[in-house]
Short mmCIF file of all heavy atoms in Angstrom, two decimals:
data_model
loop_
_atom_site.label_atom_id
_atom_site.label_comp_id
_atom_site.label_asym_id
_atom_site.label_seq_id
_atom_site.Cartn_x
_atom_site.Cartn_y
_atom_site.Cartn_z
N MET P 28 15.97 85.64 37.13
CA MET P 28 14.85 86.45 37.57
C MET P 28 15.22 87.93 37.41
O MET P 28 16.33 88.32 37.71
CB MET P 28 14.56 86.10 39.03
CG MET P 28 13.40 86.85 39.61
SD MET P 28 13.09 86.31 41.30
CE MET P 28 11.58 85.46 41.04
N CYS P 37 8.88 98.42 44.88
CA CYS P 37 8.09 98.99 43.79
C CYS P 37 6.86 98.16 43.48
O CYS P 37 5.82 98.71 43.16
CB CYS P 37 8.94 99.12 42.53
SG CYS P 37 10.28 100.30 42.68
N ASN P 40 3.81 99.13 45.21
CA ASN P 40 3.27 100.42 44.82
C ASN P 40 2.51 100.37 43.49
O ASN P 40 1.82 101.31 43.16
CB ASN P 40 4.39 101.45 44.72
CG ASN P 40 4.96 101.78 46.07
OD1 ASN P 40 4.24 101.79 47.07
ND2 ASN P 40 6.25 102.01 46.13
N LYS P 46 -4.22 103.21 39.23
CA LYS P 46 -5.54 103.76 39.49
C LYS P 46 -6.05 104.53 38.27
O LYS P 46 -6.92 105.37 38.39
CB LYS P 46 -5.52 104.66 40.74
CG LYS P 46 -5.28 103.88 42.00
CD LYS P 46 -6.35 102.81 42.19
CE LYS P 46 -6.08 102.01 43.44
NZ LYS P 46 -6.93 100.86 43.57
N GLU P 69 7.29 81.96 37.00
CA GLU P 69 6.22 81.18 36.38
C GLU P 69 5.12 82.15 35.96
O GLU P 69 4.20 82.42 36.71
CB GLU P 69 5.70 80.12 37.35
CG GLU P 69 4.61 79.26 36.77
CD GLU P 69 4.98 78.62 35.43
OE1 GLU P 69 6.05 78.00 35.34
OE2 GLU P 69 4.20 78.77 34.49
N GLU P 94 8.50 101.31 32.27
CA GLU P 94 9.74 100.54 32.22
C GLU P 94 10.77 101.09 31.25
O GLU P 94 11.96 100.80 31.39
CB GLU P 94 9.43 99.07 31.89
CG GLU P 94 8.69 98.41 33.03
CD GLU P 94 8.26 96.99 32.74
OE1 GLU P 94 8.32 96.55 31.57
OE2 GLU P 94 7.84 96.33 33.68
N ARG P 95 10.36 101.89 30.32
CA ARG P 95 11.32 102.49 29.39
C ARG P 95 12.36 103.31 30.14
O ARG P 95 13.51 103.41 29.74
CB ARG P 95 10.59 103.34 28.35
CG ARG P 95 11.50 103.80 27.23
CD ARG P 95 10.74 104.42 26.08
NE ARG P 95 10.16 103.35 25.27
CZ ARG P 95 8.85 103.14 25.12
NH1 ARG P 95 7.98 103.92 25.70
NH2 ARG P 95 8.42 102.16 24.38
N PHE P 104 2.29 92.31 32.68
CA PHE P 104 1.43 93.43 32.31
C PHE P 104 1.03 93.25 30.86
O PHE P 104 1.87 92.94 30.01
CB PHE P 104 2.16 94.78 32.45
CG PHE P 104 2.39 95.19 33.87
CD1 PHE P 104 3.55 94.83 34.52
CD2 PHE P 104 1.45 95.94 34.55
CE1 PHE P 104 3.77 95.21 35.83
CE2 PHE P 104 1.65 96.32 35.86
CZ PHE P 104 2.82 95.95 36.50
N ASP P 108 5.46 89.01 29.76
CA ASP P 108 6.34 88.86 30.92
C ASP P 108 7.46 89.91 30.81
O ASP P 108 7.59 90.58 29.78
CB ASP P 108 6.89 87.44 31.01
CG ASP P 108 7.79 87.04 29.85
OD1 ASP P 108 8.70 87.82 29.49
OD2 ASP P 108 7.59 85.95 29.31
N ARG P 112 8.86 92.24 27.47
CA ARG P 112 8.82 93.71 27.43
C ARG P 112 10.20 94.32 27.31
O ARG P 112 10.40 95.29 26.58
CB ARG P 112 8.07 94.26 28.64
CG ARG P 112 6.58 94.00 28.58
CD ARG P 112 5.83 94.82 29.61
NE ARG P 112 6.39 94.74 30.93
CZ ARG P 112 6.22 93.71 31.78
NH1 ARG P 112 5.49 92.67 31.42
NH2 ARG P 112 6.77 93.74 32.99
N ARG P 113 11.17 93.78 28.01
CA ARG P 113 12.53 94.30 27.92
C ARG P 113 13.03 94.15 26.49
O ARG P 113 13.65 95.06 25.93
CB ARG P 113 13.43 93.58 28.92
CG ARG P 113 14.84 94.10 29.02
CD ARG P 113 15.05 95.56 29.29
NE ARG P 113 14.20 96.18 30.27
CZ ARG P 113 14.06 97.50 30.42
NH1 ARG P 113 14.74 98.34 29.67
NH2 ARG P 113 13.25 98.00 31.30
N ARG P 121 7.32 101.26 20.49
CA ARG P 121 6.72 102.50 21.00
C ARG P 121 5.22 102.31 21.14
O ARG P 121 4.59 101.67 20.32
CB ARG P 121 6.97 103.67 20.03
CG ARG P 121 8.41 104.04 19.91
CD ARG P 121 8.79 104.96 21.02
NE ARG P 121 10.18 105.32 20.91
CZ ARG P 121 10.99 105.38 21.94
NH1 ARG P 121 10.57 105.12 23.14
NH2 ARG P 121 12.24 105.72 21.77
N CYS P 122 4.67 102.88 22.18
CA CYS P 122 3.21 102.81 22.42
C CYS P 122 2.52 103.93 21.67
O CYS P 122 3.03 104.98 21.48
CB CYS P 122 2.92 102.94 23.90
SG CYS P 122 3.61 101.59 24.84
#
Side-chain angles (χ1 to χ4, degrees):
M28 181 177 251
C37 294
N40 291 326
K46 292 301 179 189
E69 181 52 51
E94 293 176 348
R95 189 169 281 115
F104 288 91
D108 65 48
R112 288 193 312 281
R113 184 54 41 195
R121 295 276 180 222
C122 297

